[in-house]
Amino acid sequence: MGTSWSLHAASSAPGLAAGVQAAFGRVTRQMSQWEPDSDLSRFNRAPAGEWQSIPPEFAHVVAAALEIAAASAGAFDPALGAITERWGFGSAGPVARVPGDAPAAERRVEFDAANSRIRRSEGAALDLSGIAKGYGVDLAAIWLLGQGVRHFLLELGGEVRGEGIRPDGQPWWVDVEMPPTASIPPWRIALHDLSAATSGHYRRGFVADGRHYSHSFDPSTGRPIVSGVASVTVLHRDCMIADGWATALTVLGPQKAIALADAQGLAAAMVVGDREHVSREWRAMLG
């Protein structure tokens, strides 16, 4: 997945690292933009309008992505693949200059849950990078729990899931990553059967003509976000849901994002400049 991972487990069972790596590998083989033979890459190359059968894990992530897309009124858009490719955040690699605006085209991905198949409109290409990494954490965590490993902290590229407690009886404490330009002290969170995902515009991007262009895109404009949001952290039982919603909320300004988090019952914290904005559920967890 182009990043590192770590596991802290209160277990001496053999083969844990190999099992976790195998779970991540399954996600990569199915949902990676960068693997030309992945199910996602083959779907994006297939003719528009034709139904394509997909594996159950892939279908599970597509269903969640489309649910978040609908609930966020399109702030999360899994059909942005053609746009992210044009801006140098896909398999083709970085671009030398800022691309011009692409011709308007319908971006639509349809999911037939009963038959586990999807199809796309001509202007759509799947990009699940805003949610698949979180699912990878969940898939590996489910495997660990199935092996009888009840107490562990699993991290993949900044997305984290904690199960049970540490051997010393303490919860799994993690510090939320803060943007490098912020002077705000990091939140410290106890992950007990809980996941945390952070989306930040500073993590990936490029500079052109003295301006930083983020890897986070506003689906309404097809361009990198200009909301002023530096980072969003979401807590949820499932890392996939935390990951997807962190991506969606990053697109919105602080007022709309926090209002949406409150409406969805999400524990979310946002950094804008040197100011923090938190949802009701986040404040309730502080108590």
Side-chain angles (χ1 to χ4, degrees):
M1 295 187 189
T3 189
S4 61
W5 65 272
S6 65
L7 171 67
H8 300 269
S11 171
S12 58
L16 297 187
V20 169
Q21 188 68 60
F24 294 158
R26 196 184 318 169
V27 176
T28 298
R29 288 191 299 274
Q30 293 185 22
M31 295 170 245
S32 172
Q33 285 175 273
W34 296 272
E35 293 291 334
D37 293 328
S38 72
D39 293 282
L40 183 145
S41 293
R42 286 188 279 113
F43 168 74
N44 284 342
R45 289 195 302 267
E50 292 187 5
W51 288 106
Q52 304 290 325
S53 296
I54 56 175
E57 296 87 355
F58 192 177
H60 180 63
V61 175
V62 168
L66 293 176
E67 286 177 8
I68 295 174
S72 66
F76 184 90
D77 185 355
L80 277 175
I83 291 175
T84 55
E85 282 283 352
R86 288 184 66 251
W87 279 81
F89 297 108
S91 59
V95 295
R97 60 180 63 88
V98 175
D101 291 332
E106 182 185 27
R107 296 192 309 268
R108 187 182 72 257
V109 171
E110 296 176 83
F111 176 50
D112 176 5
N115 296 293
S116 192
R117 60 182 187 166
I118 53 178
R119 66 180 176 182
R120 63 182 180 87
S121 64
E122 186 65 41
L126 268 178
D127 177 352
L128 297 177
S129 57
I131 192 170
K133 190 165 60 172
Y135 175 69
V137 173
D138 288 335
L139 189 64
I142 291 168
W143 181 84
L144 287 166
L145 292 168
Q147 301 302 303
V149 183
R150 180 65 189 88
H151 306 281
F152 60 86
L153 179 71
L154 179 62
E155 179 266 340
L156 172 63
E159 321 301 14
V160 195
R161 177 162 165 165
E163 294 286 334
I165 57 175
R166 298 189 330 187
D168 62 3
Q170 287 287 314
W172 299 104
W173 291 101
V174 298
D175 287 344
V176 173
E177 179 182 85
M178 286 293 172
T181 56
S183 59
I184 305 168
W187 294 100
R188 176 156 288 187
I189 301 168
L191 292 184
H192 174 67
D193 300 345
L194 192 65
S195 298
T198 298
S199 177
H201 76 76
Y202 57 89
R203 285 184 165 182
R204 288 179 59 207
F206 66 93
V207 176
D209 299 325
R211 178 179 175 183
H212 179 267
Y213 291 90
S214 168
H215 75 290
S216 298
F217 280 76
D218 183 343
S220 68
T221 65
R223 296 177 65 85
I225 62 170
V226 292
S227 65
V229 174
S231 73
V232 176
T233 297
V234 174
L235 308 181
H236 196 276
R237 179 70 182 96
D238 296 325
C239 198
M240 175 183 69
I241 302 301
D243 193 10
W245 272 111
T247 303
L249 297 179
T250 301
V251 172
L252 305 172
Q255 286 74 31
K256 288 183 179 179
I258 296 302
L260 180 57
D262 286 343
Q264 294 291 322
L266 296 170
M270 174 178 291
V271 176
V272 183
D274 264 342
R275 291 193 60 191
E276 292 175 316
H277 304 261
V278 300
S279 69
R280 281 197 302 264
E281 192 68 25
W282 187 283
R283 288 196 299 270
M285 293 181 77
L286 295 175

